[in-house]
């Protein structure tokens, strides 16, 4: 029997992998992908909570699942914008490495 | 309501103003026309004053100027009691004579129109003080005389000393006027009115608090101290001698400086209610009397001798006020106005005939050349030292008798002052009129024109008779001397004889002043002390202001704001490392901290 704890464990592992990716990887596209991973970890835990949060009639609470759809939509938009920025950046700098992008530093 | 009679006080007040306006606006170019307008105006005032004096019950229409119901009410109205009717007569009478005299004295002056306009304006202001029936009106005219005094002292403003003297006179009297103003406000706060009659009616409201009353009375007295050149604000009067001599006679001897005494007599109801205030006033007057007489003994400028003499005589009047005898004060004011104006005008006559030489050591032997001037100066001097039967004898005797009866230390100082008075004026007479001429100007001196001599003679007549009882009784209440009269008279006369004798013995046939008392020559270093004090206080204030500006405003507020912003900015700049992952890490860390605080706290 798969419990809520198992789902949350997977979700946590996914989130950690994503966070570690954001922290350690230098390629901005990989960082974006890792970000998506973190997002989906959150989605997974939301769906899991929804599935296990049942009312007295046995029906799950669908609110969280609807919320996940929104997150996926927003994530798609975010990726579109993010990749567009990456493309623009690459055109400007001919690089996707974050070490090379440091013009905010004084 | 507006009958010819009731219009008279308005004529008295407004004729000189009209003259000043006309001269300033229209006749500046025509100097002689200006001077005649001014003389005509003051003569008109004088005749109206005479009519008012003769008519006992006269009242002028009045109207409200500022009227806030129950709070503040300033009418433009006149007080026409015995006191103000006498003052009107003295002011406009002496004023008329001095106006006429000015025709001669200022004959060839460039600024004749300006001079006569200012003189007319002064007459307006002075008559306003006399007529005012409330404190506010009086204060306004009070300031106006201060202003005209400033203008007239600085008449020859191209001379630096005159400009300086004018400034000094104005600022010094302003100090006193400030006290006067606060005094008025205190009286108004307590009684809710500035009109003299109303204050008398509600006097209990202020007398119920003796300390408050004393402070208010002394503050009002401050105004008199400034205007009447009493110690410690006497320093401006000798310097004011830079003005033309008729101005010295009119403003700085007969009228404006006497306004302080008039003010005190006018508000006697307040002052008499406080014994402390009376004592302060009496002693200030006594100190001024002695100080002025002492300083006069070593002056070599004829006008400055008379100026110090004025301080001294005003001291007598203030002393009389302080000894709670308004009659004696007014009596001396009345006689002093004549003989001191006379002395000044006679001195002016000497100065003119000697081509503006004022140093008595450059004069000498003038008795034979300026016969009339000598005679009138002698009359003035005799009246000043209180030689019977001249007017000063009676009025000074009245004050001394008063002091004898009420306060012995003051009497002794008063007597000493009488001795000194006899000494310094005899000294001046001997040096100026006897001996050999000490300069070419003195050798070639000629008598002044008739227009100057006639006022001298009229004033000399009054200086002679004004004190005689039948004459004086007609004008004012003559104080009774009581039993002490004989002793006091004998003492005063021996002081007089002693002073004249010593002066004659010391100064007969001298070429130079045999004495140099530095302390007195330097006016007891009072001017120097004030200079030092003002420099010091100014320095201190400047230093405090500088410290405040430099350290509080500049370093604290302005640089503090900019430095704070800059410092915090450079601190925050450390976070801008330029590494994307570092930002993300800080972001994550922030979230963790946030969660920690929201859940575990």
């Amino acid at each position: 029997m798969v419990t809520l704890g198992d789902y949350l464990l997977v979700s946590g592992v996914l989130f950690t992998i994503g966070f570690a990716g954001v922290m350690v990887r230098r390629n901005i596209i990989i960082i974006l992908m890792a970000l998506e991973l973190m997002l989906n970890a959150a989605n997974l835990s939301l769906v899991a909570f929804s599935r296990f949060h049942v009312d007295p009639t046995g029906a799950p609470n669908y609110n969280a699942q609807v919320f996940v759809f929104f997150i996926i939509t927003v994530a798609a938009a975010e990726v579109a914008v993010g990749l567009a920025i990456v493309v623009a950046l690459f055109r400007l700098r001919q690089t996707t490495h974050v070490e090379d992008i440091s013009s905010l530093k004084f | 309501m507006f009958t010819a009679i009731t219009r008279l006080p308005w004529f008295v007040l407004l004729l000189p103003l009209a003259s000043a306006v006309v001269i300033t606006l229209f006749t500046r170019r025509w100097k002689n026309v200006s001077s005649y307008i001014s003389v005509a105006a003051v003569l008109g005032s004088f005749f109206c004053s005479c009519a008012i004096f003769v008519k006992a019950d006269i009242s002028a229409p009045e109207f409200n100027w500022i009227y806030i119901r129950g709070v503040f009410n300033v009418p433009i109205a006149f007080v026409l009691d015995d006191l103000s009717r006498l003052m009107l007569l003295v002011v406009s009478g002496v004023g008329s004579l001095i106006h006429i005299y000015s025709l001669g004295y200022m004959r060839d002056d460039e600024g004749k129109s300006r001079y006569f306009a200012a003189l007319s304006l002064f007459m307006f202001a002075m008559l306003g003080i006399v007529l005012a029936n409330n404190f506010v009106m009086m204060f306004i005219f009070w300031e106006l005389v201060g202003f005209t005094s400033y203008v007239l002292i600085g008449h020859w403003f191209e001379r630096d000393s005159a400009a300086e003297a004018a400034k000094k006179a104005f600022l010094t009297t302003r100090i006193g006027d400030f006290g006067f103003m606060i005094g008025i406000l205190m009286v108004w706060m307590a009684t809710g009115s500035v009109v003299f009659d109303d204050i008398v009616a509600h006097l209990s409201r202020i007398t119920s608090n003796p300390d408050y009353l004393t402070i208010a009375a002394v503050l009002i007295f401050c105004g008199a101290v400034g205007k009447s050149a009493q110690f410690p604000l006497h320093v401006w009067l000798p310097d004011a001698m830079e003005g033309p001599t008729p101005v010295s006679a009119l403003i700085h001897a007969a009228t404006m400086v006497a306004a302080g005494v008039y003010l005190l007599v006018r508000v006697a109801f307040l002052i008499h209610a406080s014994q402390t205030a009376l004592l302060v006033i009496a002693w200030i007057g006594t100190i001024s009397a002695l100080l002025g007489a002492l300083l006069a003994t070593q002056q070599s400028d004829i006008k400055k001798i008379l100026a110090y003499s004025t301080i001294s005589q005003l001291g007598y009047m203030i002393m009389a006020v302080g000894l709670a005898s308004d009659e004696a004060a007014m009596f001396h004011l009345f006689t002093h106005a004549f003989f001191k104006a006379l002395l000044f005008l006679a001195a002016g006559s000497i100065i003119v005939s000697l081509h503006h030489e004022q140093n008595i050591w450059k004069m000498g032997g003038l008795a034979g050349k300026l016969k009339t001037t000598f005679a009138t100066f002698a009359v003035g001097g005799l009246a000043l030292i209180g030689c019977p039967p001249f007017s000063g004898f009676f009025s000074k005797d009245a004050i001394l008798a008063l002091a004898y009866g009420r306060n012995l230390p003051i009497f002794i100082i008063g007597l000493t002052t009488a001795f000194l008075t006899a000494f310094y004026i005899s000294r001046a007479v001997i040096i100026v009129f006897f001996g050999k001429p000490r300069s070419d100007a003195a050798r070639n001196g000629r008598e002044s024109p008739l227009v100057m001599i006639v006022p001298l003679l009229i004033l000399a007549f009054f200086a002679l008779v004004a004190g005689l009882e039948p004459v004086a009784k007609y004008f004012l209440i003559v104080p009774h001397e009581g039993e002490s009269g004989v002793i006091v008279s004998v003492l005063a006369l021996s002081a007089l004889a002693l002073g004249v004798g010593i002066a004659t013995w010391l100064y007969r046939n001298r070429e130079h002043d045999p004495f140099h008392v530095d302390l007195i020559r330097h006016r007891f270093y009072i001017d120097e002390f004030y200079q030092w004090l003002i420099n010091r206080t100014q320095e201190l204030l400047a230093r405090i202001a500088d410290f405040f500006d430099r350290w509080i405003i500049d370093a604290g507020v302005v640089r503090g704001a900019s430095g704070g912003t800059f410092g915090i900015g450079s601190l925050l700049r450390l976070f801008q490392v330029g590494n994307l992952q570092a930002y993300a890490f800080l972001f994550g860390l922030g979230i963790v901290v946030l969660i920690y605080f929201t859940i575990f706290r």
Side-chain angles (χ1 to χ4, degrees):
Chain A
M1 181 64 188
V2 184
T3 62
L4 178 64
D6 298 332
Y7 285 107
L8 288 185
L9 190 68
V10 176
S11 166
V13 169
L14 274 178
F15 187 86
T16 313
I17 293 169
F19 188 70
V22 170
M23 285 295 118
V24 301
R25 298 306 296 260
R26 293 291 179 254
N27 192 319
I28 199 160
I29 294 174
I30 306 289
I31 290 174
L32 267 178
M33 286 164 69
L35 264 175
E36 288 303 310
L37 211 55
M38 286 162 74
L39 219 55
N40 283 321
N43 282 351
L44 181 60
S45 58
L46 276 171
V47 172
F49 279 129
S50 161
R51 197 71 192 86
F52 283 89
H53 184 76
V54 290
D55 58 7
T57 59
N61 186 339
Y62 289 111
N63 284 353
Q65 300 191 24
V66 174
F67 194 34
V68 166
F69 279 121
F70 275 97
I71 294 177
I72 291 169
T73 320
V74 171
E78 179 218 308
V79 168
V81 174
L83 283 176
I85 290 173
V86 172
V87 170
L89 197 67
F90 185 77
R91 283 198 182 146
L92 199 68
R93 294 280 173 88
Q94 276 75 42
T95 176
T96 52
H97 276 250
V98 287
E99 277 102 349
D100 301 331
I101 309 160
S102 62
S103 39
L104 267 183
K105 188 179 176 175
F106 71 89
Chain B
M1 166 159 163
F2 269 102
T3 59
I5 293 290
T6 58
R7 276 199 196 115
L8 278 177
W10 284 99
F11 280 141
V12 170
L13 185 63
L14 294 179
L15 274 174
L17 178 67
S19 145
V21 169
V22 168
I23 293 174
T24 315
L25 291 182
F26 304 115
T27 65
R28 282 203 86 127
R29 302 249 185 110
W30 303 293
K31 291 181 199 146
N32 289 330
V33 177
S34 302
S35 59
Y36 293 134
I37 290 174
S38 182
V39 171
V42 73
L43 282 175
S45 263
F46 174 60
F47 290 130
C48 293
S49 300
C50 288
I52 292 172
F53 188 78
V54 176
K55 277 259 178 209
D57 52 338
I58 202 164
S59 63
E62 53 187 72
F63 56 88
N64 284 326
W65 179 41
I66 301 171
Y67 187 73
I68 304 170
R69 196 181 183 77
V71 183
F72 192 61
N73 180 19
V74 182
I76 300 285
F78 301 145
V79 55
L80 290 163
D81 53 4
D82 292 343
L83 179 62
S84 67
R85 295 213 314 268
L86 170 70
M87 260 319 256
L88 277 186
L89 210 57
V90 172
V91 169
S92 61
V94 176
S96 304
L97 292 174
I98 289 169
H99 270 70
I100 294 166
Y101 178 92
S102 296
L103 289 176
Y105 194 89
M106 304 299 282
R107 197 171 32 197
D108 304 319
D109 199 83
E110 275 300 304
K112 200 169 167 182
S113 289
R114 179 160 47 86
Y115 171 85
F116 275 100
L119 218 52
S120 282
L121 192 62
F122 169 78
M123 289 307 296
F124 163 65
M126 188 65 215
L127 293 166
I129 290 182
V130 174
L131 284 169
N133 89 329
N134 60 70
F135 268 127
V136 173
M137 204 172 142
M138 189 180 234
F139 187 74
I140 292 168
F141 285 117
W142 189 267
E143 291 301 319
L144 204 55
V145 285
F147 163 71
T148 49
S149 160
Y150 166 80
V151 171
L152 286 166
I153 294 170
H155 179 69
W156 291 313
F157 56 84
E158 58 278 356
R159 231 170 37 204
D160 278 348
S161 55
E164 293 290 328
K167 225 171 6 186
K168 184 172 175 182
F170 192 70
L171 292 178
T172 315
T173 51
R174 281 298 299 140
I175 297 173
D177 294 352
F178 189 67
F180 185 25
M181 190 169 71
I182 297 173
I184 293 174
L185 288 175
M186 282 178 78
V187 170
W188 172 67
M189 263 165 62
T191 63
S193 174
V194 291
V195 182
F196 297 134
D197 289 343
D198 294 352
I199 297 173
V200 174
H202 298 137
L203 199 60
S204 59
R205 288 189 198 162
I206 189 163
T207 46
S208 57
N209 189 345
D211 293 337
Y212 188 87
L213 171 70
T214 303
I215 294 170
V218 170
L219 280 172
I220 289 173
F221 174 57
C222 275
V225 169
K227 275 279 183 297
S228 293
Q230 295 296 289
F231 178 81
L233 296 179
H234 64 279
V235 290
W236 66 271
L237 189 61
D239 288 23
M241 295 301 126
E242 289 291 340
T245 308
V247 168
S248 309
L250 177 61
I251 301 183
H252 307 122
T255 56
M256 184 185 91
V257 288
V261 180
Y262 174 76
L263 164 71
L264 292 180
V265 176
R266 174 60 70 208
V267 298
F269 54 87
L270 271 181
I271 291 164
H272 285 194
S274 165
Q275 286 304 317
T276 323
L278 277 177
L279 204 63
V280 169
I281 293 170
W283 274 106
I284 292 278
T286 311
I287 293 168
S288 306
L290 182 66
L291 185 78
L294 261 179
L295 294 180
T297 55
Q298 280 278 292
Q299 293 298 315
S300 51
D301 183 322
I302 187 165
K303 282 181 73 182
K304 289 209 167 151
I305 295 176
L306 295 177
Y308 282 115
S309 161
T310 306
I311 294 176
S312 171
Q313 297 301 311
L314 288 164
Y316 270 125
M317 296 174 212
I318 301 275
M319 185 200 295
V321 172
L323 294 170
S325 172
D326 303 333
E327 294 85 22
M330 281 313 287
F331 189 23
H332 198 53
L333 191 160
F334 177 66
T335 57
H336 176 256
F338 292 116
F339 67 70
K340 188 48 71 63
L342 169 64
L343 280 170
F344 265 111
L345 294 189
S349 169
I350 299 167
I351 292 166
V352 163
S353 57
L354 265 57
H355 305 292
H356 292 272
E357 179 55 66
Q358 301 193 4
N359 189 340
I360 53 174
W361 294 103
K362 299 252 173 77
M363 299 172 184
L366 294 177
K369 298 191 186 73
L370 311 175
K371 285 200 184 62
T372 324
T373 304
F374 167 61
T376 51
F377 194 94
V379 169
L382 286 171
L384 172 68
I385 60 181
C387 173
F390 294 90
S391 59
F393 167 71
F394 300 99
S395 54
K396 189 185 278 185
D397 228 35
I399 294 175
L400 285 177
L402 188 71
Y404 183 77
R406 299 198 183 159
N407 194 329
L408 211 55
I410 289 183
F411 170 71
I412 292 165
I413 297 177
L415 204 61
T416 318
T417 308
F419 158 71
L420 287 169
T421 309
F423 177 78
Y424 69 70
I425 205 72
S426 311
R427 168 179 178 265
V429 169
I430 290 161
I431 296 169
V432 170
F433 290 105
F434 297 105
K436 290 190 215 67
R438 298 183 199 84
S439 69
D440 289 338
R443 266 182 281 281
N444 303 322
R446 280 193 306 115
E447 188 59 285
S448 303
L450 204 63
V451 72
M452 290 165 72
I453 293 298
V454 170
L456 279 181
L457 291 173
I458 298 173
L459 280 172
F461 172 71
F462 277 105
L464 188 58
V465 303
L468 297 172
E469 198 153 334
V471 181
K473 264 226 172 98
Y474 181 69
F475 289 103
L476 75 178
I477 308 162
V478 178
H480 292 288
E481 289 180 14
E483 307 87 50
S484 60
V486 181
I487 311 167
V488 173
S489 293
V490 169
L491 281 173
L493 286 178
S494 33
L496 156 71
L498 197 65
V500 175
I502 290 179
T504 316
W505 175 58
L506 283 177
Y507 285 99
R508 208 155 53 91
N509 293 326
R510 295 275 185 184
E511 286 299 304
H512 304 285
D513 200 338
F515 299 102
H516 278 278
V517 185
D518 272 347
L519 196 62
I520 296 179
R521 282 270 152 119
H522 288 101
R523 313 155 168 200
F524 289 116
Y525 296 99
I526 292 173
D527 282 55
E528 281 80 359
F529 172 70
Y530 285 170
Q531 177 97 36
W532 175 83
L533 189 72
I534 289 165
N535 276 350
R536 271 304 150 94
T537 44
Q538 208 169 22
E539 180 86 350
L540 188 71
L541 276 177
R543 269 173 200 281
I544 291 170
D546 175 64
F547 176 85
F548 190 77
D549 183 50
R550 200 183 291 254
W551 295 108
I552 311 287
I553 303 279
D554 237 28
V557 179
V558 177
R559 293 218 192 114
S562 83
T565 317
F566 193 80
I568 293 168
S570 32
L571 210 67
L572 290 175
R573 206 162 66 163
L574 296 176
F575 292 102
Q576 306 292 331
V577 289
N579 186 336
L580 199 60
Q581 264 105 11
Y583 294 139
F585 178 72
L586 284 174
F587 180 60
L589 203 66
I591 300 271
V592 168
V593 170
L594 212 62
I595 289 168
Y596 174 77
F597 274 108
T598 44
I599 294 174
F600 298 101
R601 279 294 165 100

